[in-house]
Amino acid sequence: MGTQNTSVRPPAQSRNDGKNHPSQCGGVTHDNVRHTTRFTVVGNHLAQHAELSLLAIGLAVHIQSLPSGAKVDIDSLAARFPEGKTRIAGALRELEAHGYLRRTRLRTEQGRMVTRTVSCNQPGRTGGEDGPSPPPRPRRTAEKPPRRRALPAVPEPVYPTPDLLQTALGLLSGLRRTDPRLLISATDAEHLVPGVAAWLERDLTPEAVHRALTHDLPQEPLHRPAALLAHRLTAQLPPLPPFRTERPSARHPLQNCDTCDRAYRAPEPGTCRAPET
């Protein structure tokens, strides 16, 4: 009868006991290399956001990777990417609505209106865990009223020309003549001006935009008229008009009059039929 050699190691057992190896199953596998330079940390709350479009997520990652002071206006982004100004403007509005961007209109000392953009890698928080902690919030006192809630985001025009913005501001200032409850402050007007300009870009007359903002208002008092206007500017934004190419007007060539030798325009040579003097 043979004896068992106890010094020999038993044969190695399979790690998955005969089950399928993970590499044989469907789904993604990762071949990752640790970055040491030129990388950006992106939270899964952005990369796997359930409501943002893929364009908005990619645009947010691009903006977060840029250094401070880089241009992130619609023209600069459209020159960098092939999606076009309309789609990029829509993605920026998505990021603004979900707190990944904050855009405010400011007036410079020279009187020009500029847009200040703040990129937030984690909406609702200021600074990181390793960064400086935000200053403590001051206690509310009877002398200091509570801070106002921010207004909803409004659409942005593709070409915010000074004349377009001035027309939009005049339209907002005239709303109170139709309904006194639509009296808004100068700060609220500056926030709403880009939204009105985006409507005017869509071949709407100021009268049509005025009617859309003042039609069928609620009967109860308006505690935040600017918020109501911001909601209407976003929810009822009409589509962009179809692109139309302008046909150049046909101009006849110059001809010399056979009678008086004057120059005139006509399809064929002849007389200009000028009255006799």
Side-chain angles (χ1 to χ4, degrees), residues 11 29 34 42 58 92 112 178 184 211 236:
T29 58
R34 184 179 181 84
V42 178
L92 290 175
R112 295 178 58 252
T178 301
I184 58 177
R211 286 193 299 270
Q236 302 179 16

Side-chain angles (χ1 to χ4, degrees), residues 108-132:
T108 64
E109 296 179 355
Q110 293 76 22
R112 295 178 58 252
M113 296 297 298
V114 297
T115 301
R116 178 175 181 267
T117 303
V118 178
S119 173
C120 308
N121 68 341
Q122 190 167 348
R125 299 189 59 181
T126 302
E129 296 179 357
D130 299 331

Side-chain angles (χ1 to χ4, degrees), residues 34-240:
R34 184 179 181 84
H35 293 290
T36 57
T37 59
R38 295 181 57 81
F39 65 92
T40 301
V41 178
V42 178
N44 285 343
H45 55 83
L46 171 60
Q48 302 176 9
H49 203 285
E51 299 180 9
L52 288 175
S53 65
L54 187 60
L55 175 59
I57 293 175
L59 190 57
V61 173
H62 172 72
I63 293 175
Q64 290 185 15
S65 68
L66 296 176
S68 297
K71 293 184 178 296
V72 292
D73 57 282
I74 296 175
D75 290 337
S76 300
L77 294 173
R80 170 64 175 81
F81 298 103
E83 278 72 14
K85 295 182 180 180
T86 301
R87 295 184 61 192
I88 288 177
L92 290 175
R93 289 195 294 269
E94 287 186 61
L95 297 176
E96 192 171 15
H98 287 84
Y100 288 96
L101 281 184
R102 294 198 304 268
R103 293 188 291 182
T104 54
R105 300 282 295 175
L106 302 175
R107 188 182 299 276
T108 64
E109 296 179 355
Q110 293 76 22
R112 295 178 58 252
M113 296 297 298
V114 297
T115 301
R116 178 175 181 267
T117 303
V118 178
S119 173
C120 308
N121 68 341
Q122 190 167 348
R125 299 189 59 181
T126 302
E129 296 179 357
D130 299 331
S133 58
R137 295 182 179 180
R139 295 183 179 180
R140 295 180 180 177
T141 60
E143 294 78 11
K144 188 175 182 180
R147 187 177 181 180
R148 294 181 58 189
R149 289 180 293 172
L151 293 175
V154 297
E156 292 284 338
V158 179
Y159 299 103
T161 61
D163 292 341
L164 184 68
L165 298 177
Q166 188 64 32
T167 302
L169 181 59
L171 190 152
L172 288 169
S173 301
L175 295 178
R176 64 178 183 269
R177 299 188 183 95
T178 301
D179 192 325
R181 296 178 300 169
L182 295 179
L183 176 64
I184 58 177
S185 66
T187 302
D188 292 341
E190 288 187 4
H191 178 85
L192 298 173
V193 157
V196 176
W199 279 59
L200 296 174
E201 274 189 336
R202 285 158 166 78
D203 287 349
L204 271 77
T205 63
E207 292 76 13
V209 181
H210 183 100
R211 286 193 299 270
L213 296 178
T214 57
H215 175 68
D216 196 20
L217 293 173
Q219 298 298 326
E220 60 269 13
L222 301 180
H223 299 289
R224 300 186 69 204
L228 172 65
L229 295 174
H231 172 75
R232 288 197 171 190
L233 290 171
T234 303
Q236 302 179 16
L237 179 67
L240 287 169

